[in-house]
Structures are given as C-alpha cells and as structure tokens.
Amino acid sequence: MFRTLIATVATVATASGAFAGGHSELLSKSWDEIVAQAKEEGQVSWFVWYFQPRYREIAKAFTEEYGIEVVIPEGTHEGNIEKFLAERNRDAGDIDVLAMGTDRIDLFDPTEMALGPLTDVLPEAPNMRTELGGHDGLGYAFGYWGNQTGIAYDPNKIADADLPQTIEDFEAFFAANPGAFGFNYENGGSGPSFFQNVTRNIINAEMDDWLSGEVTEDRMASLKPAWDWFLDHTDGYVITASNTDSLQRISGGEFTMVAAWEDHLYGLQVKGEIDDRIKYYIPEFGMNGGGNYNIVPANAPNPAAALVFLNWVSSAETQTAFNQVFGAAPMHPNADDSKALVPNEMRQYSTIWPGNPFNTEIRQAFVENVVLER
Amino acid sequence: MRWRRTLLILALLTPGLGVILLMIGSVFYVAVMQSFGYYNLVGEDSFSLEHWEKVLGSKQFSRSLSYSAYIAVVAAIGSVILAYPIAIWLRRPFRGSLAISAVLKAPLFVPGLVASFLFLNVIAFHGVVNQFLMWIGITDEPIRMQNDRGAWGVVFLQLWKNMPFALLLLTGAVQSISDEVLDAARDLGAGSFARFRKVIAPLTVQAMQAALIIIFIGAAGDFAFQVTAGPTNVQSMAQYMVFLKDSFGRWNQAAVVGVSLMILALFGSLILAFISSVVLKSGNKW
Amino acid sequence: MVSLADSGATVAPKKPTRRAGALNRFLMIVLMTIVAIWLIVPFSMAVLWSLVDPETGWNYPDLLPPSLTHLRWVEVWTTTALPQAIANSYMLAPTVAVVTLILASPTAYCFARYDFAGKGLAQLATLLPLVVPGFVLAIFFSSLIFSLGIYSRFLSILMAHCVLFLPYAIRIMTVSFGQVRQDLIDAARDLGASPLAVFRAAYMPALLPGILASLIIVFIQSIEEFAIAFIVGAPNFTTIPSILYSYLGYNFIRPNAAVVSLILVVPNVLLMLGLERLLKSANPAQTGVKG
C-alpha cells in the first residue's frame, strides 16, 4: 500500500502537461457560443491574493451582466500559484482564473499549463497587454493591473522640496534623520525595488546591461560597492517586516519615508486605513513599475466563464473602476486613469525589473551581504 | 502465545502509527527526494547534491539553524520552568484556583497570528507601552520595540503561547501525585526544593518531556511569530524555507531547508528530553 | 513571576493553614494583576481598534480614536467569507478532535502498557507529522489526495488534520494510560467486575483528563491550522485562518484585523472556560478516586 501510494505520487509529480489543451475545442467556438456556455457553467472562481473583499464588491457588476456567480477565495499569492502547480494533472482543477505578479510567469510554461493563445478569442484582446514589465505572456497571460513602486512620505516631517532624489540626497537624509526611512526585503517588492535601483546607481550600470537576466560571478562581485554603501549607512534606515508594515508605521508617525507601492497606498487611503496626509513620489534615480497577469489554467473547471471573466476584467469599464477604487494603472487604452498619487510627468522615472535569474539572485545577495551583516 | 501478542500489538498500532507511517511517510519521502533534485513541481528531475551544497554553504543557513534552535530551546525550557511552580501551586484546589487556571490557559486559545497582532499593537511606536513610558518620564522619545534585534518579542510570544500548554500537561501529572507520597517526603524532612527534585520531578518526568518535545518542535518550526515580530536581520528556518520558495521559486533548496528543519525538530527535541530526564531522574535516589 | 509562584508552591500544604491561605490570596491578587495586563490591555486595544471610524481614522498623536463606530463589524461580516468560514471551522475541528482521539487511543494504550522490541523507534515515528513543514505537507498531501481520487474538501482536510495532530493525541493519551494503576485494575478484576466496570473504575478516572486535554489540543490545532486547510480546501472550503491570513498579510488593515481576531478568539475563550470546568470535575483528586 505504501509503495503504491509513493508510486502514485511519483506518477502525478512527473507526468506533466497531460491535460494541456484539454479545452482547445472551446477556443475554436465563436464568442457568442462561449458566452452561452459560460452562462450554462454559471460560476467562475478568480484566485487573486489581495483586496478580495473589494473585488467581491466590484465583481457584482459582472454577475449582474452575465448572471455568472464570481467566487473570490481568500488566499496568498504563493499559495494560489502552488495550488495551481499541484493541481495541474487533475482533469478539472479548482481555479478558473489565476492572478499573479508578472515575474511569476517564469515559474512555469504557460503554453502547456494555461488555456490559449487567446489573442484571437477574446473580443478585448487587441486592447489587452500580454507584454508587461519586461515579461511576455505569449497571449496566454494578460495584464489586468498596473503598479508602481516609489516612496511614501509624511509631509509633516519633510517638505516636497527636500525629498531625496539622488543617492547623495539619501546619504544626506540618512545622516540628518537616522532611522527615519523604512523598507522591506521580503513580503512584497517595494523594498527590493529600492535597493535594486540604489545598487544600479551606485555601480553606474547602463540600463540595458542592468536589465539583462544573466548571472555571472563577475557580475555579482561588481555589486559589492552597493553592499558597502548599505553597510556604511545602517543607522540611516530600518528594515520593516512587509509593505503593509511600512505603511502602518509611517501612518502611525514612526517614519518620515518608506518604500511602498502606489496602488497599495492608494487603496488603503481610500478606505481610511492609512492617513490621508501621507503622500507619494518616484525619486529621480528611478523605482520599478510593473503589473499583474491573469491566466486561465488549462484544467479550469469553468473554462468558458473564465474567458468571459478575463475579457470583462480587462475591459475599459472594469479598468476604470480599478483605477478609481484602487488607484491601479489601467491596462486598457480607453480607461480613465485620472486617479493616481503621482503626476504623469513623474512617471518618466519609472524603470522595470531586471530579468530572471538576476532579479532573484540580487535579492538573495542583498540578504546574504547586507541583511545578515547588519 | 507470542504470536497472538505480536498480532495484538500490531493491531493496536495500526490506526495511529500505521496511518501516520502511510501518509506522512510518502510525503516525507517526497520532500527528501525533492532536496536531491526529484519531484520538481516544474522542470526536469535528476539526482543532484547541488542544492544541499548551495544551502549548507550559505551564511544564511547556519544563522537560521542556530537562531531556530535557540528560540526552540528557550521556548521549551522557559515554558516548563514557568509552568512547574504554577502547576504545583494549583495542585490543590483553593478559592479562585479555577479562575486562575482558566485565565492562565487563555493564550492557548489565541491563535499565533492573533497573539502577534495584539502584541504589535501594544508595543507599537506610538502604542500604549511607549505612551506610558513617556508619560511617567522614563523616556522622552518613543522606543522602537518592533522586530527587536535580540528576538525578545519572539521569545515573549513563544512563552505567552506555550507556557499554558506546558501548564496543561504538568497540572494533570502533578495532580496525580498522591498526598501520601508528598507527606511522607515532608515527614522525612525533605525541604521544598528537595521534595520537588526527589518526588515531583521524577513522577512528572513523562509529562514534562511531552511538553518539552512538543513546544520545542513547534517553536523550531515557527513562522507566524518570526515573520511579524521577529528580528529582520535573521530568518527562522521555516521563514527561510518559505522565503526561498516564495521569493525565488527555489523549491529544491527550500526542500533542503525543510529536511534540515525536520532533523532539527526531531533530534533537538529528543536531546532536550533526554537531558532533562537524566537531570531529573538523578534525583530519584533517596 | 517565577519567584512569586515558586514560593507559592513551597507553602501549598495538604490542608491550607491560615498563613498559607492569606499567602494564596496575595499571590492570587498579584497573579491576576499580571494576567489582567497580559490579557486585558491587548484585548482592549483590539476592541478599540475594531471600533475606529474609517472617516476619521486613529493616527498619532490622537491618544484615543476621535470617533467610534460599529461599521467595521458590519462590513467584515457582510463583505467577507467570514460567516461561512466560521461554520466550516467549527464543523471541522470537533470532528477532527473526536476522530483523532479514536485513532490515537489504541496506539497510546499499546505504548503505555506493553513492552515490545522497537517500541522506542515506534514512539519516535509517531512524531513524524510534526517535523514535516506545513506547506510541504500541504502540497504533497493534496497531490496524494487528488491522485487517490478523493475530492470531498471536508473529508480531505479531515484526513490530513487527523494525521497531522495524531502525535499530540498519542503523546497525551500515552501519559494518561501510563497513569492507570495496575493494582486498581487487578483489584476490580479480583472483585469480579465486568470489563466495562473495570474500565469505569480503573481506567476512566485516570483517562478523563487526558481525553479532554487531547480533545482540546487537537480542536485548537485544527481551528488554527492554515496550510492544509487552504491548499486542500480552496476555493469552496474557507476556514477562519485563511481569512485571518488575508487580513494580517497583504491586506493588513488594523481595524478589520482586530474585528476578525476578536471574532476568532472570543468563542475559543468561552469554550475554554467551559472545558476547564469539565477538566476540573474530571480531576481524580476531586472525585474521590485516590490511590
């Protein structure tokens, strides 16, 4: 029995992609037929890892339009993705639409594990973005959410004119205000965006070279001046537990500035969770912007409803709603993007994430060379 | 006869131990194999020692291992040391002992994350503790107590959460010691500490070991307290494992940390239980 | 606190003298004060946070929230999956507790009352579920369950939780079975008692505290468990910890987290008070069954 069980696990774990394309006949149907089938399915589960209660509110518009119930389970980013990976060999999984940060698309092969390509299937596809933040969704993954990292600040403690814009400005700020700046290195990418861009400036890397995902010993060794910089200024900054921890603590009056996501701060301010006095800027030395993808797993239990939902999420109306409720950057050209925390001219300082594996290697190097050495 | 006895023992073990071996055995096997490059969620399988070499060679691993071991030892021994006197005090019921016992055990029913949340609220930069310290003039500036370097926050939370658990186990054991035995010891002139060392400790050693083992393992694998209240310049083993897996998708390396964590939990707790029994049983010669 | 309670231990005699009675009262007052600080202050902060008005917030340097409202409670109750999650968790946990106890008892009995070759190893092996990290266990457990063709979420989590918490039940019940006195069993048998009567006279008094302790521990563990409940249970079977993780993680919103925390904790504490009473009444020292 024990051996049988192990053998079963082994089979499951090794035989991959067995059901990819299981719904391929669906993709050849007309959109009207897909919508009809979707209504028959009657339900769609969207696995998204943040702001679930408010997504449930917004999704009521979808239910009204199509009569399809939307289930948005609680769950974490990694938990959702792991579930997706673990369930890939089931005939029908539990996930209809899966949201993920764009960089997670590197974890698996979307052409095997996702339904698609959808470029000729979804009516909104011409307006949807499959290339986002330096990643390519290949027509299987589509952006539904744009976001930007930057720095949240407390105007009671620092004037707009004094905001640090360069590495030298930060050195001066650290010297004058020890322990008044906070950022995280895990649980969210705003901190990593900060130390990546500091590193890029300190080693004077050309942007094209910097964005390459290549990892060599020489390249990692060349980052040392940046690690020395962080170690020289340990009194200047505080490492926080997460993005949210940073924002809670700046709102509570503990910090003057923290690294943060624009949409995250906006969403919390709309709900009154973070004080409205907190403002936001993108420093001139650059901070990363990116977005989130949606995919439909190849074994989605309600594939037609998933496609209709994917199309709806990416539509101009929904994207406008996302901008108004969350401050997210719309992914649709016709959507209204008037709600944002930073003026448009500041967006010129937005940079993108370097490719993998460098993007992950630099984060681990930061832990090894700075966090553990502090 | 021997046959029947063996069969009886096997039959008794099947629903408990058998089920564990069947289910956990296969999961355990998969985790170990994964650390050697098999059972990848995505990608090709092949035998490799590379993941072990990479992880064991990193500074972060040794820091995490010793940190988790430290927290686990402090949590296990600290909880038992705090719980023993209270268990003995509450051995005989008196007016209000029920209420005390109930209140003391309340943290047992507070999930770890909630405990962290409550704790962080209280020690926040402008939280009630800092306001109080400033009000009575001990400090002019709020003290930054969150995620302290010395891991005092984590230790406090571990004790807060686990002392009641040790108390639960020890109370039962201490109460089953008959008054006659304790009276006899008193009549023979044993002082209070001698009575503890020579009578109570040896008779409750099983319950104490149970408490030590379970608390050690729980604390060694702690994730919730460390992530919320722990120092940010070191990671616990569980946190390190999740960090490798979540931030980098390095499943095989995470499996290495996971397997190491299992080894730490298993052997660390057994060593602790063994030492404690040697120490306590040495007093059982009167 | 150690020294205080310690001195209490040294003077607790068989029949409290007046001096000891006064000391007990004093110790009780001191202890209750400490406990009040370690329970009442954190929880009242949570209650305050749960009542913060979203319109005005509660930010430094306000000493108290400028205005209070119960809107958060309504909002959390109506927009989250909390009501369903509470129903799920409180259906799952008692079932897990009972099934685990039933599975654990024969093995515990065997460990406590039989000596056999490899017993030490067997006892070690029961700890296996404790040393497998939660998420690793959850992922491969779900793979295992799917490959076995079990799709009932409730049943799957039930199975996983039982296996995961068996070590606690086995350990506790082994201690309990070890405290059953052989002379009582022999005496009862010599008096010609039926097996049921022997069980009631000799086993039950020693076992009851262990049974209750095991039920409580497993119940709490099951209520709190996140990794398996989430991975195996998603999406239709949401438990309270899944919701809590969402509120304390990415969506960390202090007032809403306070609401969810309180909703999660208050029934637990009430339950504990009831069980504490049960545990007390099952105490052999009080029910007159003495050695």
Side-chain angles (χ1 to χ4, degrees), chain C residues 121-208:
Chain C
L121 194 69
Q123 281 184 303
L124 232 171
T126 60
L127 295 177
L128 281 174
L130 298 179
V131 296
V132 183
F135 261 90
V136 175
L137 192 95
I139 295 277
F140 291 102
F141 207 97
S142 68
S143 270
L144 195 70
I145 279 167
F146 292 145
S147 68
L148 292 172
I150 300 166
Y151 292 112
S152 159
R153 303 292 190 294
F154 180 79
L155 198 65
S156 306
I157 303 179
L158 178 66
M159 280 168 60
H161 274 189
C162 286
V163 171
L164 194 59
F165 305 135
L166 263 173
Y168 299 96
I170 291 178
R171 199 73 191 82
I172 293 168
M173 290 310 291
T174 303
V175 172
S176 282
F177 276 114
Q179 282 167 352
V180 176
R181 298 168 57 105
Q182 190 60 44
D183 51 355
L184 276 184
I185 303 174
D186 295 341
R189 282 209 184 113
D190 291 348
L191 293 170
S194 67
L196 187 70
V198 173
F199 181 78
R200 282 178 54 178
Y203 283 88
M204 214 48 200
L207 290 186
L208 209 52

Side-chain angles (χ1 to χ4, degrees), chain A residues 1-2 5-6 9-10 13-14 78 82 88 104 107 179 185-186 238-239 241 245 249 252-255 360-361 363-364 367-368 371-374, chain B residues 21-22 25-26 29-30 39-42 45 58-60 63 125-126 144 146-147 149 227 232-233 235 239 243-251:
Chain A
M1 181 66 182
F2 183 56
L5 276 180
I6 289 178
V9 174
T14 47
E78 307 307 329
E82 279 159 15
R88 69 178 178 281
R104 298 306 201 284
L107 286 176
Y185 70 91
E186 55 175 342
V238 171
I239 291 184
D245 184 42
R249 286 162 78 177
E254 182 175 350
F255 292 121
T360 53
E361 204 62 46
R363 280 186 281 160
Q364 199 152 28
V367 174
E368 197 83 358
V371 175
L372 293 179
E373 297 293 326
R374 293 182 76 223
Chain B
L21 285 180
L22 186 72
S26 48
Y29 171 86
V30 168
Y39 294 103
N40 294 319
L41 270 179
V42 282
D45 288 352
S58 74
K59 251 181 309 203
Q60 205 179 353
R63 282 280 296 273
F125 198 64
H126 289 295
R144 186 166 282 143
Q146 193 177 339
N147 308 111
R149 290 289 184 87
V227 168
T232 49
N233 64 333
Q235 293 181 317
Q239 186 187 21
F243 182 60
L244 279 173
K245 180 173 70 67
D246 283 2
S247 298
F248 309 121
R250 292 186 175 153
W251 268 85

Side-chain angles (χ1 to χ4, degrees), chain B residues 126 130 133-143, chain C residues 60:
Chain B
H126 289 295
N130 263 320
L133 290 179
M134 282 157 72
W135 182 64
I136 60 171
I138 286 185
T139 171
D140 294 331
E141 285 281 302
I143 303 166
Chain C
Y60 179 73

Side-chain angles (χ1 to χ4, degrees), chain A residues 291-357:
Chain A
N292 299 332
Y293 275 144
N294 268 325
I295 64 157
V296 177
N299 61 354
N302 305 299
L307 293 181
V308 175
F309 185 79
L310 188 60
N311 194 61
W312 173 83
V313 157
S314 311
S315 68
E317 297 78 51
T318 312
Q319 286 296 310
T320 302
F322 282 5
N323 180 255
Q324 280 162 357
V325 178
F326 304 109
M331 291 281 112
H332 194 286
N334 302 335
D336 172 22
D337 65 350
S338 56
K339 300 280 183 186
L341 293 175
V342 298
N344 261 331
E345 62 268 21
M346 208 181 257
R347 305 239 175 240
Q348 61 176 304
Y349 306 126
S350 174
T351 54
I352 60 175
W353 301 89
N356 277 325

